[in-house]
């Protein structure tokens, strides 16, 4: 997996919410499901500060690891590389 992507897999037994900031868009992973977060623009170096709480993961996307350079254009795809929509719990 490239450095400019963040794979997330739900290894638990209940739904897991993935929040992507700064918009707070939520993506729901069922047990066993995997998503990948990535910037729309390819070829940039991004870092993914990640914050975990019970049943929730919050992720920011920073270009070059700089919090002043928040990446606003990103996508979340499933294991088959199909785009996922926020706010949809399967």
């Amino acid at each position: 997996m490239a450095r400019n992507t963040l794979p997330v897999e739900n290894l638990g037994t209940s739904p897991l919410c993935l929040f992507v900031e700064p918009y707070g868009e939520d993506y729901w992973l069922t047990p066993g499901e995997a998503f990948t977060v990535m910037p729309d623009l390819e070829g940039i170096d991004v870092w993914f500060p990640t914050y975990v709480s019970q049943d929730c993961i919050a992720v920011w996307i920073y270009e070059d690891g700089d919090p002043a350079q928040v990446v606003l254009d990103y996508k979340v795809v499933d294991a088959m590389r199909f785009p996922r929509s926020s706010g949809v719990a399967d």
Side-chain angles (χ1 to χ4, degrees):
M1 188 87 18
R3 180 175 174 171
N4 65 341
T5 64
L6 176 69
V8 178
E9 185 174 358
N10 182 357
L11 298 177
T13 58
S14 61
L16 175 67
C17 184
L18 170 65
F19 279 107
V20 181
E21 300 291 359
Y23 302 125
E25 293 182 312
D26 59 320
Y27 298 85
W28 290 88
L29 292 86
T30 58
E33 195 168 30
F35 291 170
T36 301
V37 182
M38 64 185 70
D40 277 341
L41 185 61
E42 292 185 24
I44 61 172
D45 181 33
V46 295
W47 294 27
F48 298 93
T50 305
Y51 306 91
V52 179
S53 62
Q54 185 174 345
D55 299 325
C56 180
I57 298 173
V59 175
W60 287 82
I61 309 171
Y62 297 151
E63 188 171 351
D64 295 322
D66 182 353
Q69 295 186 51
V70 176
V71 175
L72 302 176
D73 298 318
Y74 64 89
K75 57 189 162 198
V76 176
V77 297
D78 63 18
M80 299 296 293
R81 296 299 219 205
F82 292 114
R84 298 298 302 213
S85 297
S86 65
V88 178
D90 292 334

